[in-house]
């Protein structure tokens, strides 16, 4: 089978199967061999690895992964792509295609079943409409993961990597950085895809921490505080947290906690580091500031 990274080969396969792109599935297929090689390199795929690919499309990146990894499990939602994948991946005996929705599938069980519960690497050109639920779902599943190297919309990659005080910093930055070291490893222009997306793209590598960089007593509270603080980005943290439904934290309580940390009670979430959110979360979960 001819390599699909070459645009004429991709076009020939699409033509042969009369394939119709489904916008609702975020289908933009890669047609640039340099970008494909770069992704594999940056994902640090090795012969001993089990790689999970989300959305193989017609199997373009899957071919590259099959050449470099020990085993590839590719999860694809669009049934119309299955006969195509059968043909384009016929030469590889180390690839398994799973027909399913990555958001509905039990990722932990998949890793247990396909790699005996040992850590996998996730490599994908993601459907952009569900980037955040996919990435957060992978980490929150608790499944053993080495790294997640994915093509995403450029702005989303910048948000994942951003630090406090920058315009891109937000709940996604903190949530991702709780689990992983985030590095943008490539910028990719629209002409590397068929059809061309209306946005720029970037590849981000998320290398999972063995231990989270901060330890908290109540993870749910930490994430609740982060979400609430950035829901009303321009508001002072005491107001956004104090008003948040589902968070039983009073405005006065939040104010006391911030002051006891040596911070201003006028601070906004966008100025707080992950470590400070963690400290705030622990103070509030212990109720240590009560009555002070
Ligand atoms: N990997 C291919 C490539 O780079 O050429 C295709 C990438 S395309 C951006 C995204 C792929 O994800 C499509 O094949 C699409 O059908 C698939 N997809 C979309 N939503 C999905 C979901 N919820 N679960 C699994 N696959 C999905």
């Amino acid at each position: 089978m001819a390599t699909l990274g070459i645009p004429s080969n991709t076009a020939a396969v699409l033509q042969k199967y009369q394939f119709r792109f489904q916008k609702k599935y975020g289908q933009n297929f890669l047609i640039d061999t340099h970008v494909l090689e770069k992704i594999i390199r940056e994902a640090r795929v090795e012969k001993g690895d089990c790689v999970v690919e989300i959305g193989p499309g017609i199997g373009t990146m899957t071919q590259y992964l099959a050449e470099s990894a020990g085993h590839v499990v590719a999860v694809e939602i669009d049934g119309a792509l299955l006969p195509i994948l059968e043909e384009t991946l016929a030469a590889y005996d180390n690839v398994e295609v799973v027909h399913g929705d990555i958001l509905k599938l039990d990722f932990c069980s998949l890793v247990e079943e396909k790699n005996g519960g040992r850590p996998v690497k996730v490599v994908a050109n993601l459907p952009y409409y569900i980037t955040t639920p996919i990435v957060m779902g992978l980490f929150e599943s608790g499944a053993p993961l080495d790294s997640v190297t994915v093509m995403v919309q450029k702005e989303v990659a910048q948000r994942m990597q951003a630090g406090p005080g920058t315009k891109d910093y937000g709940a996604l930055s903190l949530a991702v950085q709780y689990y992983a070291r985030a590095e943008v490893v490539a910028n990719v222009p629209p002409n590397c895809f068929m059809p061309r997306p209306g946005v720029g793209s970037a590849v981000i590598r998320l290398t999972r921490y063995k231990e989270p960089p901060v330890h908290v007593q109540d993870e749910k509270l930490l994430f609740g505080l982060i979400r609430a603080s950035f829901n009303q980005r321009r508001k002072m943290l005491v107001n956004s947290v104090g008003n948040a439904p589902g968070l039983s934290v009073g405005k006065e309580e939040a104010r006391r906690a911030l002051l006891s940390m040596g911070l201003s009670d006028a601070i906004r979430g966008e100025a707080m580091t992950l470590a400070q959110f963690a400290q705030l979360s622990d103070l509030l979960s212990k109720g240590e500031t009560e009555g002070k």
Side-chain angles (χ1 to χ4, degrees), residues 5 52 84 89 119 123 176 207 229 237:
V52 177
I84 304 183
L89 301 174
V123 186
V176 164
T207 311
S229 308
L237 185 140

Side-chain angles (χ1 to χ4, degrees), residues 211-232:
E211 289 288 327
V214 294
H215 289 273
V216 285
Q217 302 186 1
D218 184 349
E219 246 181 38
K220 233 177 109 200
L221 177 60
L222 171 69
F223 283 102
L225 287 170
I226 290 172
R227 252 193 312 276
S229 308
F230 288 98
N231 261 347
Q232 295 164 303

Side-chain angles (χ1 to χ4, degrees), residues 4 10 19 22-31 36 39 53-62 65 74-79 81 85 98-105 123-130 134 151 192-194:
L4 293 169
T10 290
F19 180 75
Q22 299 251 28
K23 222 177 165 160
K24 67 170 179 184
Y25 289 145
Q27 293 176 336
N28 300 93
F29 299 164
L30 269 168
I31 46 162
L36 285 153
I39 296 173
E53 184 189 11
I54 297 160
I58 59 168
T60 310
M61 192 153 78
T62 326
L65 290 169
V75 181
E76 176 55 60
I77 197 169
D78 185 357
L81 289 165
L85 288 166
V98 174
H99 184 202
D101 178 343
I102 190 68
L103 294 179
K104 298 206 175 122
L105 185 141
V123 186
N125 170 18
L126 286 181
Y128 293 173
Y129 73 107
I130 44 171
I134 291 180
M151 179 87 72
C192 296
F193 301 86
M194 187 190 286

Side-chain angles (χ1 to χ4, degrees), residues 28 125-126 128 131 151-158 186-193 196-203:
N28 300 93
N125 170 18
L126 286 181
Y128 293 173
T131 298
M151 179 87 72
V152 298
Q153 188 179 331
K154 192 174 174 184
E155 289 73 18
V156 175
Q158 284 162 347
N187 284 311
V188 182
N191 63 359
C192 296
F193 301 86
R196 294 181 183 193
V199 293
S201 302
V203 179

